[in-house]
Amino acid sequence: MVTTVPARPGKVASLAAQRRRSAAIAWVFVAPFVLTFGVFGLIPLVSSLAMAFTDLRARDIRNPFNVNFVGFENFVAVLTDPSFQRALFNTLMFVVIGVPATLFIALVLAVMLNSVSRKVATFFRVGYYTPVITTIVAVAVVWRIMYQDTGAINAILGWFGITGPNWLSDPNTALLAITIMAIWRNIGASMVIFLAGLQGIPADVNEAASIDGANAAQKFFRITIPMMMPTILLNTILVTTGYMQFFDEPFVMTGGGPLESTTSIALQVYNQFKYGNYSVGAAGAYVLFALVGILALIQFRFFRQRT
């Protein structure tokens, strides 16, 4: 029969004191982040949500008691606004075109870099990732110059006898032009994530498949892609969330024009705040938040069935 010796009261009190001291030290280290997030994150988040249910405008800042509760009127106004509906259409088109193209090109580049030497892969990885860390304003200005009638893109098309359009001044091509620029800028980040996922696949798995007679296509679609599903899910959510919130590109390159053909939801929300419609702008921001959440849930469910 085994007997246990009860811990002495003094020792138990000492352990409890050590735990309290460790917890206090931990809170000291996390307090700056908690305070910063509370002041600059949580409080504005709650305030903007409350703002969306009022009729707050710029003129009410000095007279806050004139603000009234209006319920869901702002959300109804946002969803029935033709300008917001056009911005929603533009954003969805940007996502539908940009996300698959970005992921496909990034995956192809990652597979290619995974098959070359480390030095070559590092050189191209730095080259493809450079646009990601370059300020979006500089990138947008350069591409806006390239899209001019006498810019580099139309000059290249002229070599093949093609007369290029006025890309950013034509409502039929402005959104496509911005999408192409966004794809070029974002493939680097997705490529690095895909490359990390490819390097995480054990080499002996592909070697065993080769011994069993599997060719390159069979190994890619039956081994690489299934094992890359968590990485593909991560990349898809990151790219989709970023594209749903695209703002800098149209803001710098077109200002949302011509004829609102490049106005995004984020730019529409910004314009509402700029014009003093704070409550309507807040409602539009939460509509965008809801759309991003819905798309993320759909993607989780879609990829979960394939993992």
Side-chain angles (χ1 to χ4, degrees):
M1 181 175 180
V2 179
T3 59
T4 58
V5 180
R8 289 176 295 178
K11 186 175 181 181
V12 174
S14 176
L15 291 175
Q18 290 180 3
R19 292 194 185 97
R20 288 195 297 269
R21 186 163 51 250
S22 300
I25 294 174
W27 276 108
V28 169
F29 281 104
V30 303
F33 168 77
V34 173
L35 292 175
T36 303
F37 174 75
V39 174
F40 298 103
L42 187 60
I43 293 177
L45 182 66
V46 175
S47 301
S48 63
L49 180 60
M51 187 190 305
F53 295 95
T54 66
D55 59 355
L56 179 67
R57 292 180 58 84
R59 64 174 180 268
D60 298 321
I61 297 297
R62 296 184 178 180
N63 301 296
F65 293 103
N66 292 336
V67 178
N68 300 308
F69 178 78
V70 296
F72 290 93
E73 289 185 10
N74 292 324
F75 293 93
V76 174
V78 166
L79 295 175
T80 57
D81 182 8
S83 296
F84 183 86
Q85 293 173 358
R86 180 60 188 271
L88 175 61
F89 173 79
N90 294 338
T91 303
L92 293 179
M93 288 299 297
F94 185 77
V95 170
V96 168
I97 298 174
V99 171
T102 301
L103 296 177
F104 175 76
I105 297 173
L107 181 58
V108 171
L109 293 175
V111 171
M112 293 172 61
L113 292 182
N114 194 47
S115 61
V116 299
S117 64
R118 184 179 297 272
K119 291 183 178 180
V120 175
T122 301
F123 174 79
F124 283 99
R125 186 167 52 195
V126 171
Y128 283 116
Y129 197 77
T130 299
V132 180
I133 61 176
T134 305
T135 173
I136 181 60
V137 176
V139 172
V141 170
V142 171
W143 275 80
R144 185 173 62 185
I145 296 173
M146 292 171 58
Y147 277 132
Q148 293 177 353
D149 287 340
T150 57
I153 294 179
N154 282 352
I156 294 174
L157 292 176
W159 297 346
F160 302 95
I162 301 174
T163 302
N166 193 352
W167 292 92
L168 298 178
S169 298
D170 188 346
N172 297 318
T173 58
L175 183 62
L176 177 61
I178 291 179
T179 304
I180 294 173
M181 187 271 287
I183 293 171
W184 170 84
R185 183 174 183 268
N186 289 282
I187 57 175
S190 298
M191 180 200 68
V192 170
I193 296 175
F194 279 139
L195 187 59
L198 288 171
Q199 293 175 348
I201 298 176
D204 54 357
V205 176
N206 285 317
E207 292 175 359
S210 299
I211 294 174
D212 290 338
N215 55 35
Q218 290 173 330
K219 288 189 292 184
F220 181 75
F221 287 105
R222 297 188 179 184
I223 297 177
T224 303
I225 293 298
M227 298 188 70
M228 284 277 292
M229 276 300 171
T231 306
I232 295 174
L233 171 61
L234 172 64
N235 243 340
T236 303
I237 292 178
L238 291 177
V239 175
T240 303
T241 302
Y243 278 22
M244 282 292 294
Q245 302 176 75
F246 86 108
F247 169 83
D248 302 295
E249 297 89 342
F251 180 77
V252 176
M253 299 179 70
T254 62
L259 301 177
E260 297 184 338
S261 60
T262 59
T263 300
S264 64
I265 298 178
L267 183 57
Q268 177 73 5
V269 170
Y270 168 82
N271 289 334
Q272 292 295 333
F273 278 98
K274 182 175 68 174
Y275 299 145
N277 302 324
Y278 296 154
S279 57
V280 177
Y286 277 96
V287 170
L288 175 59
F289 172 78
L291 291 174
V292 171
I294 291 171
L295 286 177
L297 288 175
I298 294 174
Q299 290 166 348
F300 267 112
R301 182 175 294 275
F302 176 81
F303 283 99
R304 183 182 299 173
Q305 296 173 353
R306 287 159 175 77
T307 55

